[in-house]
């Protein structure tokens, strides 16, 4: 789908991943989607697993919610995950 076509659609849901890197910098990753039936719990879980595998990521805080008139409203708040050299459970 072309970007112009995406901008004209109603994208009412989002996942925000607030990422802290081991070098102290912060980053954010956002996934925007338009179908509330999407299994976002699986997407959150697998994204967190992928971030854990990165040797540059220290921690991640995840929020899932809705976008209305350009404003994000968090609905589901996941625990702040700290990644170490040992295993982290999900």
């Amino acid at each position: 789908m072309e970007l112009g076509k995406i901008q004209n659609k109603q994208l009412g849901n989002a996942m925000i991943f607030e990422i802290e890197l081991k070098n102290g910098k912060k980053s954010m990753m956002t996934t925007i989607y338009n179908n509330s039936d999407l299994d976002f719990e699986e997407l959150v879980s697998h994204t967190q697993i992928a971030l854990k595998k990165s040797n540059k990521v220290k921690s991640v805080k995840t929020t899932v919610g809705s976008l209305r008139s350009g404003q994000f409203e968090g609905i589901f708040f996941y625990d702040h995950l700290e990644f170490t050299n040992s295993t982290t459970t999900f």
Side-chain angles (χ1 to χ4, degrees):
M1 181 177 285
E2 294 176 28
L3 182 58
K5 292 180 182 177
I6 292 173
Q7 292 172 342
N8 293 327
K9 291 196 175 277
Q10 178 71 11
L11 298 174
N13 304 288
M15 294 176 237
I16 297 178
F17 300 88
E18 297 175 64
I19 301 164
E20 181 181 1
L21 303 175
K22 290 180 181 176
N23 66 8
K25 294 182 180 180
K26 298 195 186 273
S27 184
M28 186 178 289
M29 184 171 66
T30 305
T31 302
I32 301 172
Y33 57 99
N34 67 347
N35 189 330
S36 61
D37 292 333
L38 183 68
D39 189 1
F40 68 86
E41 292 160 339
E42 278 293 310
L43 291 172
V44 167
S45 174
H46 288 280
T47 302
Q48 290 174 337
I49 290 169
L51 290 169
K52 177 186 174 190
K53 290 182 178 183
S54 169
N55 62 355
K56 296 182 180 183
V57 176
K58 178 181 177 184
S59 67
V60 64
K61 180 180 170 191
T62 306
T63 306
V64 177
S66 64
L67 289 170
R68 300 290 179 248
S69 301
Q71 297 293 316
F72 177 74
E73 179 183 338
I75 298 171
F76 300 101
F77 302 90
Y78 289 78
D79 290 337
H80 183 216
L81 298 177
E82 293 274 343
F83 304 127
T84 63
N85 292 335
S86 61
T87 58
T88 301
T89 58
F90 290 88

